[in-house]
Structure formats: structure tokens, C-alpha cells
Amino acid sequence: MALAISAVLAVLVTQFQSFRGPLAIVLVVPLGLTGAVIMLTSTGVPFNVSSFMGVILLVGLIVKNGILLLDAAARSRKRGMPANEALVHGGRVRLRPILMTTLCTLVGLVPLALGLGGGAELQRPLALAVIGGLAVSTAVTLLVLPTMLDLFGALRHFE
């Protein structure tokens, strides 16, 4: 898992040509993963290979949402907006795409989480991990990540 997150961080640093923004995104990942742990614990489903695959999927979804937010804020910053306004504007512009992809993923996983269909009980831990993690990570991405980006001065690079 550490190797995967390090690889994601390296790709993000290369893409954004900065370390601060990608670091803030990667540091938000553990906060989102708490939702997966809470969901698995509250439903009594053990952490196994299937739920670990869900956690890996969740890392990608959290990073994707963070990239959407950072990219929108960076574009606003390049157009001359102050950093705080750029973060607010980025959150406002990317709120709907983030919520739409999250809701589509959640709705698509509900049959697996409920154990409906043949063999669904094998993938139930994956679905529960992703559902719990997405529920928490969406709020974290939209509320905590902009604060971390501001604290890290991640948008200074895009002046």
C-alpha cells in the first residue's frame, strides 16, 4: 500500500510540477480510509482480500477527487484569482462532478453491499469498504482538502 501511494505521489508531483498540492492530496487518503474501517466494523464484515481490494480502489477514487479540486483551483489561480478565492471557486465548480461520480459509484455498489445476486457475498466486503470510504472521503475532499491546500501554500506555484 505504501508503495502504491508513493507511486501515486510521484505521478502527481510530475503532473503538477509541485510537491505541496500532491502531498496534501495524499495526506487526505488516510482520512477517507477511516470510512471503510468504520463501515466494515459496524457491519461485522471482516477485513479480507476483497475488502483490501476495495481500499485500493478507494485510494484511486480519493486521489481522483483531489485532482479534480486541485486542478480547478490551479486554473482559477492562473487566471489571477487570489488563492482563497481560487480554492472556493474550484470547490464550487467541481462539486457537482465529484458528487455525481460518487453517487453513481455508491448506487452501483448497493446490490453488492446487500449481497444480491449469485456470488455477491464474496464481493460484499469490497462494496462495503468502498461505500463507507466514499461517504467519508467525499466530505473530506470538499472540506478538509481545500484547507490543507491553503495551509501548504499549494497554489503559490500556479501564480
Side-chain angles (χ1 to χ4, degrees):
M1 182 66 96
L3 183 60
I5 291 175
S6 298
V8 167
L9 181 62
V11 169
L12 289 175
V13 167
T14 303
Q15 180 66 32
F16 285 106
Q17 298 175 351
S18 173
F19 187 71
R20 294 174 181 181
L23 181 63
I25 291 172
V26 169
L27 289 177
V28 166
V29 170
L31 295 174
L33 296 181
T34 59
V37 172
I38 291 169
M39 179 65 95
L40 290 171
T41 304
S42 65
T43 57
V45 174
F47 191 79
N48 57 22
V49 173
S50 182
S51 56
F52 188 68
M53 287 174 33
V55 167
I56 292 170
L57 173 70
L58 188 58
V59 168
L61 293 170
I62 294 169
V63 169
K64 176 201 59 95
N65 289 342
I67 290 170
L68 287 174
L69 183 67
L70 178 58
D71 182 57
R75 287 176 191 252
S76 297
R77 185 76 173 125
K78 285 180 183 177
R79 283 188 234 125
M81 276 190 191
N84 288 341
E85 285 183 36
L87 285 168
V88 170
H89 183 260
R92 191 176 308 126
V93 168
R94 294 300 184 193
L95 174 65
R96 190 165 58 167
I98 289 172
L99 288 179
M100 286 174 58
T101 58
T102 299
L103 287 174
C104 288
T105 304
L106 292 176
V107 170
L109 289 173
V110 167
L112 278 179
L114 295 175
L116 302 176
E121 64 276 352
L122 293 174
Q123 297 303 322
R124 185 170 182 245
L126 178 142
L128 290 173
V130 173
I131 288 171
L134 272 180
V136 171
S137 71
T138 302
V140 167
T141 298
L142 294 170
L143 301 173
V144 176
L145 182 58
T147 304
M148 290 181 66
L149 290 170
D150 189 39
L151 287 174
F152 286 9
L155 296 181
R156 286 187 210 142
H157 174 73
F158 299 105
E159 293 178 341

